[in-house]
Amino acid sequence: AAAALAEAISERDAARHEATGAAVCCSAAEQRVAEAAAVARAAEEELAVLRARAEDVEACSASAAARVYEASDGVAAAKAEAIAADVRATLALRELRTAELELEAQR
């Protein structure tokens, strides 16, 4: 009976030792999970910041594109005005040439 009791106590102590080891492993695993969760939260926060920056860049890009289109419209309007001025100058030169020819014909 004493031997059986000693064996039972030994098995109990071994089981306690294993349970303590398992608890330590579990605690370490919980710590690693908590650290991983903290890293994931930090990554999510950084991703949110990067998304906000990307939206800012996109808004700036859209604004710049709008300014380019406005400038293009201005250039097109200036070209149209220059063409119209050239046409008016050509017509004025024709009128002048016609007047010169009529004057010469009258002489």
Side-chain angles (χ1 to χ4, degrees), residues 5-62:
L5 180 60
E7 186 178 333
I9 291 172
S10 177
E11 287 177 7
R12 182 199 66 196
D13 289 344
R16 281 183 180 169
H17 181 71
E18 286 180 26
T20 301
V24 168
C25 288
C26 184
S27 177
E30 287 174 347
Q31 179 64 31
R32 287 193 300 273
V33 167
E35 290 169 358
V39 168
R41 281 191 300 277
E44 286 175 356
E45 290 171 3
E46 187 173 342
L47 182 59
V49 168
L50 292 175
R51 282 184 178 150
R53 286 182 186 165
E55 288 172 3
D56 288 346
V57 167
E58 187 175 333
C60 288
S61 177

Side-chain angles (χ1 to χ4, degrees), residues 90-104:
T90 301
L91 291 175
L93 287 173
R94 283 186 187 166
E95 288 179 17
L96 179 61
R97 184 66 183 142
T98 301
E100 288 174 347
L101 290 175
E102 287 176 359
L103 187 58
E104 284 182 25

Side-chain angles (χ1 to χ4, degrees), residues 66-90:
R67 288 194 302 274
V68 166
Y69 287 128
E70 288 173 8
S72 295
D73 290 345
V75 168
K79 284 182 180 178
E81 180 126 353
I83 291 169
D86 186 50
V87 169
R88 287 192 302 271
T90 301

